[in-house]
Amino acid sequence: MVGTTIEWYDFYLYATATALIFKPLFFPNISSTAGTLATFATYAAGFGARPIGAVISGHLGDRLGRRTVLVGALLVMGVATTAIGVLPTFAQVGLLAPALLVVLRVFQGLAVGAEWGGAALLSVEHAPSGRRGLFGSFPQIGSPAGMLLATGIYAGVRALAGGDAFVSWAWRLPFVVSIVLVAIGLVIRLRLTDGPEFEEVKQRNEIARLPVVEVLRTQPRNVALTTGLRLSQIGLYVLLTTYSLTYLQNSFGKQSQVGLYAVMVCSALGLISTPLWAHLSDRYGRRPIYLFGTVAGVVALVLFFIAADSGSEIAVVLAIVFGVNIAHDAMYGPQAAWFSELFDTRVRYSGVSLGYQVGAVLSGGFAPLIAAALLVAGGGSPWLIVIYFAVLTVLTFASAYFAKETAR
């Protein structure tokens, strides 16, 4: 959980900066709309790299072990994030600045592509029977914890430094702090051991030679279903925690912090709601909990746009909390256990990583970019965004319905 928290801190820090600060620093000479699209395109680049990270880490994780890959992922993420903190801006080096930003974002994507599968498997493969959902939720807690850490530090630095200093230099501090967090994570992560199921596979000399190829050949249905299970889950999260920051600036003004505060509140609550939904999936099954979350997600997005356009900050916070802690976490909490249980141990790292990361890039990576474009196409009305998300929801609902129930 600690290592995953640090990984997500780095990844979400970039997302927050994308919505709030990168446009004037790296894309200053284009229109406001084009600048928004360009910054969200660099954000999407990190998601595009995640399936590549999943393929590489899946191969190494199924052959060498889960811990080895997790240590490498943490190092890559830490170096890339710290480098963003010392990156020159457009005013200093011109077009080289956004180009370097994209390269570093790609390395972040590779690291995240390697991270989740190993963390989830270590937790689930060490879990006692009947409690895999709960144990698998601990790396999932790393997501809200990382978001809380990233958003909290970002908001704190912004408030203490003031507007001019923040734009000038203080925005770099949260990125540079990453190197300290990574050192802490490495101390913990180097003490981990692989789970007993994987050790048994090694002792029987049944390690897959080409695990990625094997999982695509023998279990393509489960790869497709896990990909589908990700679509509305990650789409909802990105829209409510990243795109919302930009949308709320249009409603409440550039200086409004309501979006950051709402994200911090739901991230703090996620430390409780994520394992709670996972525990309920151990008791009542993965499928019914997940299906509830998919349907609630559409309701949540509609409520968010109504709240944002109402001008009520309290309504915005409540809408985001409902969307993240009720709808999203009902899907996210059981996810590590359900994905892991769908694949054989020999190819499990490859299977869960492919489904998880391909779904992330198809939905989460492009959701802010698509939402920004649909807002323009709709003349400022958000309802095309709701229709787009409803399509994702139908695909996720169908995947949950047809996926095997594994809790029992």
Side-chain angles (χ1 to χ4, degrees):
M1 187 187 76
V2 172
T4 306
T5 297
I6 295 167
E7 287 268 11
W8 283 120
Y9 166 79
D10 290 348
F11 201 71
Y12 288 144
L13 189 63
Y14 187 103
T16 304
T18 295
L20 297 179
I21 195 68
F22 279 169
K23 183 168 63 176
L25 294 175
F26 294 95
F27 305 96
N29 296 331
I30 54 180
S31 69
S32 177
T33 299
T36 299
L37 293 174
T39 53
F40 281 135
T42 66
Y43 173 78
F47 277 84
R50 287 168 69 166
I52 301 173
V55 170
I56 296 171
S57 65
H59 177 83
L60 296 175
D62 281 327
R63 290 190 58 79
L64 303 179
R66 288 58 164 129
R67 189 198 74 158
T68 302
V69 177
L70 286 180
V71 170
L74 190 60
L75 282 171
V76 171
M77 178 65 87
V79 171
T81 303
T82 304
I84 292 173
V86 297
L87 202 63
T89 63
F90 186 92
Q92 296 169 312
V93 296
L95 290 174
L96 182 61
L100 290 173
L101 185 66
V102 171
V103 170
L104 292 173
R105 179 59 173 174
V106 167
F107 275 104
Q108 280 193 322
L110 292 172
V112 168
E115 165 70 22
W116 183 83
L121 295 191
L122 276 177
S123 298
V124 173
E125 289 177 351
H126 277 289
S129 177
R131 301 185 69 188
R132 286 178 172 175
L134 179 61
F135 274 61
S137 71
F138 282 98
Q140 304 294 79
I141 293 173
S143 177
M147 177 65 84
L148 180 63
L149 192 61
T151 310
I153 290 178
Y154 209 88
V157 170
R158 191 182 187 186
L160 290 173
D164 293 339
F166 183 76
V167 174
S168 176
W169 60 271
W171 69 270
R172 300 178 181 275
L173 296 179
F175 288 92
V176 176
V177 165
S178 172
I179 197 69
V180 178
L181 299 177
V182 167
I184 296 171
L186 284 175
V187 171
I188 297 171
R189 194 152 275 189
L190 287 170
R191 298 170 181 262
L192 297 174
T193 59
D194 284 320
E197 293 180 54
F198 181 74
E199 291 295 339
E200 289 176 10
V201 170
K202 287 172 62 177
Q203 291 173 7
R204 295 196 301 264
N205 198 27
E206 294 178 354
I207 297 293
R209 190 170 67 89
L210 294 172
V212 175
V213 174
E214 184 172 328
V215 76
L216 290 174
R217 179 176 57 84
T218 61
Q219 300 180 63
R221 182 176 183 272
N222 286 336
V223 173
L225 288 174
T226 50
T227 299
L229 287 169
R230 280 282 278 165
L231 296 179
S232 71
Q233 174 262 307
I234 187 65
L236 180 65
Y237 191 75
V238 168
L239 288 173
L240 290 179
T241 61
T242 300
Y243 175 73
S244 66
L245 301 183
T246 298
Y247 188 86
L248 289 170
Q249 283 186 341
N250 297 331
S251 301
F252 291 87
K254 297 292 185 182
Q255 301 305 314
S256 174
Q257 299 255 49
V258 61
L260 285 174
Y261 293 143
V263 171
M264 284 193 289
V265 169
C266 70
S267 297
L269 292 174
L271 303 179
I272 300 172
S273 59
T274 301
L276 175 61
W277 286 112
H279 171 67
L280 291 175
S281 79
D282 281 333
R283 185 168 183 177
Y284 300 108
R286 317 290 185 221
R287 184 185 293 121
I289 301 298
Y290 216 99
L291 290 175
F292 165 77
T294 61
V295 175
V298 179
V299 177
L301 194 62
V302 171
L303 291 177
F304 165 73
F305 285 121
I306 293 174
D309 294 340
S310 73
S312 169
E313 294 186 346
I314 294 177
V316 167
V317 173
L318 291 175
I320 291 179
V321 165
F322 174 77
V324 173
N325 301 122
I326 302 299
H328 170 267
D329 289 352
M331 295 181 278
Y332 194 61
Q335 208 169 71
W338 203 5
F339 283 25
S340 300
E341 291 163 344
L342 288 172
F343 294 97
D344 298 334
T345 306
R346 296 177 67 251
V347 293
R348 186 173 286 157
Y349 204 133
S350 298
V352 299
S353 295
L354 279 174
Y356 190 89
Q357 303 302 348
V358 172
V361 69
L362 290 178
S363 176
F366 294 102
L369 183 61
I370 291 173
L374 289 176
L375 190 68
V376 174
S381 171
W383 302 113
L384 285 178
I385 302 173
V386 174
I387 294 172
Y388 154 69
F389 180 71
V391 173
L392 297 180
T393 297
V394 170
L395 295 173
T396 296
F397 189 94
S399 299
Y401 183 82
F402 288 108
K404 178 184 178 183
E405 175 59 76
T406 58
R408 299 178 181 84

